[in-house]
Amino acid sequence: MEATDSDHKPVKCLFNLDVARVEKQTMRQKYGEIMSSNKKVLHLLQGLKAFPEANVSTNDIILQDQTPYIFKLQNRSTEDRACFEITGQAPSSSGTDSAGFPTWLKVSPATGIICPGQTVEVTLQHGDLRGTSWNNLSGANQEKAAQLSVKITGVCSTVAKCYGVRVQCQKGRSAFPFKRF
């Protein structure tokens, strides 16, 4: 009952086809008509351009003591979800800016999704789990600064908007105007 060989001979075929030449202009026009008539494709293409309206509650933050500071990211869209990503940049001892959050700054959450009409609270706090704490700052009037970039996009969007947020950490001083990097 086992078949180890086929009782059919291999079949080969050779075709010669004549294809009519299609003008690129006509082909693009027909392609556009097909794409614009397909509602599902139109919806997906519109989604790639969709950019939810968003707000960042502040662009200047002063951290004092070890009190956390909360700023808000709001998605004002009623239909589209928004993605956010927070990155940092701080001046290094060599005078150039280094990418990433400084070791003295804890940002939580640094990435996420904001549902339509919702607000996300982002907590900034001095110190982290790597041993840098408020008490380790030397000098009575120690200050540190960083520039955060808050990038907001639609979930499937190719469009993004960035907001700048300056963060300054002070010990032993009252608030004063920010120095620009």
Short mmCIF file of all heavy atoms in Angstrom, two decimals, residues 70 111 180:
data_model
loop_
_atom_site.label_atom_id
_atom_site.label_comp_id
_atom_site.label_asym_id
_atom_site.label_seq_id
_atom_site.Cartn_x
_atom_site.Cartn_y
_atom_site.Cartn_z
N ILE A 70 5.64 66.18 39.27
CA ILE A 70 4.79 65.47 38.31
C ILE A 70 4.37 66.44 37.22
O ILE A 70 3.83 67.51 37.51
CB ILE A 70 3.55 64.87 39.00
CG1 ILE A 70 3.99 63.81 40.00
CG2 ILE A 70 2.60 64.28 37.96
CD1 ILE A 70 2.86 63.24 40.84
N THR A 111 8.39 56.06 28.55
CA THR A 111 7.69 55.77 27.30
C THR A 111 6.30 55.24 27.64
O THR A 111 6.07 54.76 28.75
CB THR A 111 8.41 54.69 26.46
OG1 THR A 111 8.48 53.49 27.21
CG2 THR A 111 9.80 55.13 26.05
N ARG A 180 20.43 78.70 29.87
CA ARG A 180 20.24 77.98 28.61
C ARG A 180 21.49 77.18 28.29
O ARG A 180 22.58 77.64 28.49
CB ARG A 180 19.94 78.96 27.48
CG ARG A 180 18.74 79.81 27.74
CD ARG A 180 17.64 79.34 26.90
NE ARG A 180 16.48 80.18 27.16
CZ ARG A 180 15.28 79.80 26.99
NH1 ARG A 180 15.03 78.60 26.56
NH2 ARG A 180 14.26 80.59 27.23
#
